[in-house]
Amino acid sequence: MTTHFYTASSVDGFIATTDRSLDWLLSQDIDEEGPMAYPGFIARVGALAMGASTFEWVMRHERGRWDYAQPTWVFMHREMSAPEHGDVRFTQDDVRRVHAEMLAAADGRDIWIVGGGDLAGQFADAGLLDEVWVQYAPVTLGAGAPLLPRRLDLELMEVARNRSFLCGRYRVVGAPAL
């Protein structure tokens, strides 16, 4: 069981635009069956953690449809509405407590920290993030939500090219003491 931050980033290090959009990503050329692609990754995932902005973007983009079969914890600080179908749990709890719940729900499968970068950083700060997978898209955004808004020491484990994307898988070596 591994806890991953699996995401895409612009070459200049942003995972979303200043208005929290991911639309820039959807026009990029990637082979869904290629190396380090989403379908192979999600097949191993048993539970998800997601930030409120990412959840809201998914709900807007999917017009209220929720396609994840796995239980999902959404970290929020404002009122939010759950989708009609799916196991979505809203929380304001510490990532340590939620991670324990996610481990039990994942039943030996991996955990995916979907987004954003600050949420992944909170898991890393608590010593609960094992890997960072980044698919670098051939685009720059100039500003937006940073990939990881804190320092982490990483070890490159795997690198691949998936059409236009440079894909890297890193092991988290450590985070500086808080």
Side-chain angles (χ1 to χ4, degrees):
M1 196 292 317
T2 303
T3 300
H4 307 273
F5 178 40
Y6 177 91
T7 193
S9 174
S10 63
V11 173
D12 56 348
F14 298 103
I15 61 174
T17 62
T18 53
D19 63 351
R20 301 293 185 185
S21 175
L22 303 175
D23 292 338
W24 62 272
L25 179 60
L26 303 179
S27 64
Q28 302 302 315
D29 183 28
I30 193 163
D31 178 359
E32 290 294 329
E33 301 306 317
M36 300 177 80
Y38 175 79
F41 174 80
I42 193 68
R44 297 188 313 267
V45 172
L48 290 75
M50 184 178 291
S53 295
T54 303
F55 173 77
E56 288 175 330
W57 184 88
V58 168
M59 295 306 294
R60 275 192 314 274
H61 179 74
E62 297 297 330
R63 297 187 175 112
R65 190 180 75 237
W66 188 254
D67 289 334
Y68 295 108
Q70 302 87 342
T72 303
W73 282 257
V74 177
F75 288 79
M76 45 70 115
H77 297 290
R78 57 189 174 273
E79 288 298 314
M80 306 187 92
S81 298
E84 191 172 313
H85 303 286
D87 185 355
V88 176
R89 307 166 190 197
F90 296 107
T91 186
Q92 295 180 2
D93 289 337
D94 181 80
V95 296
R96 290 167 193 85
R97 189 174 101 46
V98 174
H99 190 263
E101 293 175 18
M102 293 174 70
L103 280 173
D107 195 28
R109 298 176 73 202
D110 291 348
I111 292 175
W112 178 22
I113 312 304
V114 179
D118 185 62
L119 180 60
Q122 290 175 46
F123 278 85
D125 292 345
L128 299 172
L129 184 64
D130 301 309
E131 293 185 0
V132 175
W133 293 39
V134 185
Q135 283 65 20
Y136 291 98
V139 64
T140 60
L141 300 178
L147 174 63
L148 273 160
R150 64 195 12 86
R151 179 181 166 185
L152 285 181
D153 291 326
L154 306 171
E155 175 188 348
L156 182 62
M157 297 172 56
E158 181 180 359
V159 65
R161 178 181 180 179
N162 185 320
R163 292 191 184 152
S164 296
F165 285 76
L166 173 62
C167 308
R169 182 175 143 230
Y170 303 86
R171 181 174 64 86
V172 176
V173 177
L178 296 177

